[in-house]
């Protein structure tokens, strides 16, 4: 929270790629601030930022609109909207919406929505919704909802998905579930 975020301008010929990050001998600092101000500056001043997921950005979209951010970002869309966030991000969509978050992300969708979170993520959907979480993730759905959680099957060397239906086999609405060592749904304590 106390980190300073810098937006810098660098000549592409000066960039040295280091596998997921870069270094450079010189740059021009265009903005210094917190995460919110830096990402907003980038979105407002870099035309290419309009068409890509900006790491750390916080964006909102209205009903039936799309909202997309990069890692560590927060995306919120209204009813029938789509919110997508990268790793460690948070995506929230309203009724009938679709919320998707990457690894260790949090995806929340309203009634009849679809929430999908990556490995170790948390997916929550409202009534009649579908919550899907990746490996070691947790899933929650409302009345008549569906939960899905992936696990790694060592015997066949592939991922498998366990599907549960709220109101059946003891699965309760608005309750967080994970898979135990036998790949059965268990309530998450605390």
């Amino acid at each position: 929270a106390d980190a300073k975020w810098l937006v810098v301008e660098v000549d592409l010929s000066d960039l040295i790629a280091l596998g997921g990050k870069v270094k450079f001998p010189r740059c021009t600092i265009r903005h210094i601030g917190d995460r919110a101000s830096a990402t907003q500056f980038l979105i407002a001043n870099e035309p290419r930022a309009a068409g890509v997921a900006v790491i750390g950005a916080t964006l909102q979209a209205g009903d039936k609109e799309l909202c997309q951010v990069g890692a560590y970002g927060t995306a919120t869309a209204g009813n029938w909207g789509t919110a997508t966030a990268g790793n460690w991000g948070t995506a929230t969509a309203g009724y009938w919406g679709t919320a998707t978050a990457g690894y260790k992300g949090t995806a929340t969708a309203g009634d009849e929505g679809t929430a999908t979170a990556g490995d170790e993520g948390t997916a929550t959907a409202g009534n009649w919704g579908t919550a899907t979480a990746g490996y070691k993730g947790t899933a929650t759905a409302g009345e008549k909802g569906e939960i899905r959680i992936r696990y790694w099957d060592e015997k066949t060397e592939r991922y498998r998905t366990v599907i549960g239906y709220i109101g059946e086999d003891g699965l309760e609405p608005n309750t967080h579930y994970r898979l135990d060592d036998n790949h059965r749904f268990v309530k998450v304590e605390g």
Side-chain angles (χ1 to χ4, degrees):
D2 296 339
K4 288 188 191 237
W5 285 54
L6 281 72
V7 177
V8 299
E9 185 176 327
V10 179
D11 188 325
L12 287 176
S13 64
D14 287 342
L15 286 178
I16 301 166
L18 300 172
K21 54 185 173 179
V22 296
K23 70 178 184 176
F24 41 87
R26 65 190 150 277
C27 69
T28 301
I29 297 173
R30 296 293 182 197
H31 177 84
I32 300 173
D34 60 10
R35 180 178 76 171
S37 71
T39 57
Q40 290 303 316
F41 178 88
L42 187 61
I43 291 167
N45 294 286
E46 171 53 57
R48 292 174 292 185
V52 298
V54 176
I55 293 172
T58 298
L59 299 175
Q60 292 182 317
D63 293 348
K64 299 181 183 180
E65 292 183 351
L66 167 68
C67 188
Q68 177 178 314
V69 298
Y72 306 101
T74 301
T76 304
N79 296 336
W80 300 282
T82 300
T84 304
N87 295 343
W88 294 281
T90 301
T92 305
Y95 299 112
W96 297 285
T98 301
T100 306
Y103 173 71
K104 291 190 179 181
T106 301
T108 305
D111 291 347
E112 300 187 50
T114 301
T116 304
D119 293 349
E120 299 183 40
T122 300
T124 304
N127 298 334
W128 303 283
T130 301
T132 303
Y135 180 67
K136 294 186 179 180
T138 63
T140 305
E143 294 283 343
K144 305 289 184 188
E146 181 179 300
I147 58 175
R148 302 170 178 217
I149 301 179
R150 290 178 68 184
Y151 72 90
W152 178 253
D153 184 344
E154 291 186 27
K155 186 176 180 181
T156 61
E157 296 185 346
R158 68 180 300 161
Y159 281 104
R160 297 202 180 272
T161 303
V162 179
I163 301 173
Y165 302 95
I166 302 303
E168 296 180 11
D169 299 320
L171 294 178
E172 300 171 10
N174 307 312
T175 302
H176 295 283
Y177 289 96
R178 65 171 179 78
L179 295 180
D180 65 11
D181 292 338
N182 295 313
H183 316 298
R184 293 188 186 111
F185 290 112
V186 294
K187 290 181 184 179
V188 175
E189 302 298 323

